[in-house]
Amino acid sequence: MFNRTRCLQITAALASISMLAGCGLISGDSGDSGERIVVGTTSAPSTLDPAAAWDGSWELYRNVYQTLLAFPTGSVKPQPDAAQSCEFTDSVNESYRCTLRKGLKFSNGEPLDSKAVKHSFDRIRTINSKVGPKDLFGSLERIETPDAQTVVFHLKTPDATFPYVLGSPAASLVAPRDYPADKVREDGKVTGSGPYVLDEYVDKEKAELSGYSDYQGFAQRKNDGVTIRYFDDSGKMVASLKDKKIDATYRGLTAAEIKELQTPNSRDQGIQVVANVGAEIRYLVFNPKDPAVRQLPVRQAIAQVVDRGTLVSEVYQGTAEPLYSMVPKGVVGHKTPFFDKFAHPDIPKAKKLLKDANVATPVELSFFYTTDRYGSSTEAEFKELKRQLEESGLFKVSLQGKPWKEFQAGYKNGQYPVFGRGWFPDFPDPDNFIAPFVGKENAVGTPYEPTEIINDLLPKSRRSGDRSAVSSQFERAQQILAEDVRLLPLWQGKLYVAAGEDIAGSERALDPQTAMQMWELYRKTSW
């Protein structure tokens, strides 16, 4: 069974990362100024322990922990980081060997050897956190350490995506002395081997990072340190950017704030905003335990009524685009099965679906969303969905917003009939937009076991190391998701970067998981 999952994150409203630009009489682009960069975000870590988070915490992990492989800027395939080299050693992609760089050590002085690597992965599966990344390692059977520099991962089944998982912050390496084998570390500290060390952390307030002098890996720091400030409101974050209390922002800007920051007035204040193609998606989840939405005609009728075009224009003002598949545009194999099946909103068709199934109307629905994870636009999004569904005369919708930790626990325990989630990729592959949502245990906490996807399409696709050759399997998987309507894709977002004109490097700061690579940022010199 394949049950790759991810909670995210995940994931995050309409904005991302810091930035850029510049004018000035004379400017240099050297990264040698050494000054600290202050970055704002609305996505505070839920925990500092990688064994217990599969969410926006990855933003911090990418900078303070190291992984065997990683995705340097511009790379869509994992490259060595803590590892000197990695490769499959068999023809069926079931045995994966990594050789570590020599002389690696954690910030506490402990050696980063093969035993530390094994400890890092074993504890994820032993702790077995409901909100941790354990299911990303569903294909892993056992780990062998023939010597101090060598780690061999033995897989249960062929899995060509395993190196991609090793390149994600889910595979963060931790020091055995400071991270218990059977429980989460909870002292508010980090012991890693990444580009930065965590000097100070104040929950929901700030993280102070300074360069780790013994770091060995692909990253090249262009600053001496970074302060990350966590905001509970994007308006406060934007005000701090305008007041030059922070240098850059990522995560959490509303559509209205993005539009306002793009005005001539903001540009005159030395702020620039750049849009990037993003793989962020937003979708609804239907819980089969609920008497209403367990019925396929009800789910189909909802899909037939929802007007994505109006949703993104009214709420997101052009900062997002309608999405008709769980695999977003720009990812291998992307198709539009929800458009092919439901086309444009059609209330008479929805009414017929319910009438033919003898479903009494209006159908009562309860929608849940998180109030503090994906940005301030989420509430407006759900109010618009409620308006659309109720104006059809076919549904009566109640809305409930929950803070992230409560929301996360609720959907993982199957408490919500219908709820909204966001998703950023764990790695840049169509597998990561299909596999996390299927299986008895999955990213959304509602068992969904489409036999063809689980037993045929995913295993077949994972035998191929050429990821461009697996389109047919993922095209079929997308069709199945549209037929079942257990998930309803809504929109695909762009990534927005806003920063002062004296900050450079942000065009290189996003990795394929859209995590912030703080080491790319630096302050331009000018005189």
Side-chain angles (χ1 to χ4, degrees):
M1 179 175 66
F2 298 86
N3 48 3
R4 289 264 168 91
T5 57
R6 180 179 185 185
C7 86
L8 209 303
Q9 171 174 103
I10 154 207
T11 224
L14 273 179
S16 200
I17 308 224
S18 62
M19 232 195 114
L20 70 119
C23 50
L25 295 177
I26 302 177
S27 294
D29 284 344
S30 168
D32 298 330
S33 66
E35 293 185 51
R36 295 184 70 83
I37 306 295
V38 183
V39 181
T41 176
T42 60
S43 184
S46 56
T47 174
L48 300 184
D49 191 329
W54 199 349
D55 56 23
S57 306
W58 282 17
E59 295 281 4
L60 181 61
Y61 298 172
R62 174 54 77 201
N63 293 279
V64 295
Y65 294 109
Q66 201 170 11
T67 46
L68 290 170
L69 301 172
F71 292 92
T73 300
S75 173
V76 295
K77 291 185 178 180
Q79 307 295 325
D81 187 13
Q84 178 177 302
S85 63
C86 292
E87 62 181 351
F88 279 106
T89 58
D90 61 347
S91 60
V92 293
N93 297 332
E94 288 186 339
S95 181
Y96 195 70
R97 179 190 297 267
C98 288
T99 301
L100 297 173
R101 296 177 189 262
K102 294 182 179 179
L104 292 173
K105 61 181 178 179
F106 293 104
S107 56
N108 66 353
E110 195 173 356
L112 198 173
D113 56 15
S114 61
K115 290 183 179 179
V117 174
K118 186 176 187 301
H119 173 84
S120 299
F121 288 95
D122 285 347
R123 69 187 297 270
I124 291 173
R125 297 190 292 171
T126 298
I127 293 171
N128 198 29
S129 169
K130 279 190 175 183
V131 294
K134 61 182 176 61
D135 293 322
L136 266 175
F137 304 99
S139 63
L140 179 59
E141 182 175 48
R142 61 187 175 88
I143 301 172
E144 183 184 4
T145 55
D147 59 57
Q149 300 302 118
T150 307
V151 184
V152 182
F153 299 92
H154 296 281
L155 309 181
K156 302 171 187 175
T157 55
D159 187 359
T161 70
F162 189 72
Y164 291 77
V165 178
L166 293 185
S168 75
S172 296
L173 304 175
V174 299
R177 198 161 65 214
D178 291 342
Y179 291 80
D182 57 355
K183 62 182 180 180
V184 174
R185 181 178 182 179
E186 297 180 335
D187 63 357
K189 298 180 180 179
V190 162
T191 310
S193 58
Y196 296 95
V197 294
L198 180 65
D199 294 324
E200 182 183 8
Y201 178 75
V202 181
D203 188 36
K204 294 183 174 57
E205 291 186 23
K206 68 174 182 176
E208 297 282 356
L209 311 182
S210 61
Y212 178 40
S213 58
D214 289 323
Y215 168 72
Q216 294 186 59
F218 76 94
Q220 297 182 3
R221 285 191 313 274
K222 297 178 181 178
N223 57 63
D224 286 344
V226 175
T227 297
I228 305 173
R229 287 190 55 198
Y230 300 111
F231 291 84
D232 60 4
D233 179 84
S234 60
K236 297 175 184 176
M237 183 169 69
V238 170
S240 291
L241 179 64
K242 290 180 176 180
D243 292 341
K244 303 189 184 305
K245 294 178 180 177
I246 62 174
D247 298 306
T249 68
Y250 72 103
R251 298 269 188 255
L253 296 174
T254 66
E257 288 163 346
I258 292 167
K259 291 291 186 181
E260 195 275 330
L261 288 171
Q262 291 173 324
T263 63
N265 182 57
S266 289
R267 290 196 294 271
D268 290 344
Q269 292 178 320
I271 297 173
Q272 288 201 8
V273 178
V274 169
N276 299 282
V277 175
E280 175 191 8
I281 67 172
R282 195 66 55 84
Y283 58 96
L284 293 179
V285 182
F286 298 109
N287 189 340
K289 293 181 181 179
D290 181 68
V293 298
R294 77 156 57 110
Q295 302 174 80
L296 177 59
V298 173
R299 303 196 300 271
Q300 290 175 325
I302 294 171
Q304 192 65 75
V305 169
V306 168
D307 185 341
R308 295 169 176 81
T310 298
L311 178 69
V312 298
S313 64
E314 291 295 321
V315 178
Y316 292 107
Q317 303 174 35
T319 60
E321 58 183 306
L323 180 65
Y324 297 94
S325 171
M326 291 299 289
V327 177
K329 185 186 296 186
V331 176
V332 171
H334 165 75
K335 293 294 179 181
T336 58
F338 279 85
F339 183 83
D340 300 339
K341 188 171 181 62
F342 300 103
H344 299 288
D346 192 321
I347 293 173
K349 283 186 179 180
K351 185 174 182 179
K352 187 176 187 302
L353 283 166
L354 296 174
K355 182 178 180 181
D356 290 349
N358 295 316
V359 176
T361 58
V363 180
E364 294 190 2
L365 303 171
S366 296
F367 281 27
F368 288 76
Y369 62 92
T370 178
T371 57
D372 59 352
R373 174 57 79 180
Y374 304 133
S376 303
S377 297
T378 307
E379 181 180 2
E381 175 182 339
F382 274 78
K383 285 182 177 179
E384 173 60 20
L385 289 171
K386 173 183 169 71
R387 184 196 66 77
Q388 292 181 13
L389 292 169
E390 291 191 338
E391 283 192 359
S392 73
L394 303 176
F395 303 97
K396 178 66 177 175
V397 181
S398 66
L399 300 179
Q400 292 192 52
K402 303 281 187 182
W404 173 248
K405 286 194 175 182
E406 183 181 347
F407 176 80
Q408 188 179 42
Y411 79 71
K412 277 292 184 179
N413 290 323
Q415 296 174 5
Y416 305 149
V418 185
F419 57 96
R421 287 292 316 279
W423 188 262
F424 279 94
D426 302 309
F427 50 87
D429 189 276
D431 185 287
N432 196 235
F433 291 93
I434 301 291
F437 307 107
V438 300
K440 188 174 182 180
E441 296 181 5
N442 58 47
V444 294
T446 56
Y448 173 40
E449 302 180 78
T451 303
E452 185 179 353
I453 294 178
I454 293 172
N455 295 337
D456 180 32
L457 299 175
L458 287 178
K460 189 176 294 183
S461 73
R462 289 174 179 172
R463 295 189 190 108
S464 176
D466 180 3
R467 304 309 292 163
S468 64
V470 299
S471 293
S472 61
Q473 285 90 13
F474 289 107
E475 289 173 12
R476 173 58 186 152
Q478 290 170 81
Q479 291 175 356
I480 294 171
L481 295 183
E483 291 165 3
D484 292 347
V485 201
R486 284 288 304 278
L487 305 158
L488 184 64
L490 296 173
W491 55 261
Q492 175 177 354
K494 300 174 184 177
L495 298 175
Y496 288 87
V497 175
E501 63 185 1
D502 62 333
I503 301 299
S506 58
E507 70 281 0
R508 297 181 53 82
L510 275 174
D511 74 357
Q513 292 105 4
T514 66
M516 182 66 148
Q517 300 179 140
M518 300 290 183
W519 58 84
E520 294 285 2
L521 303 176
Y522 61 94
R523 197 177 306 280
K524 294 180 180 180
T525 57
S526 61
W527 58 94

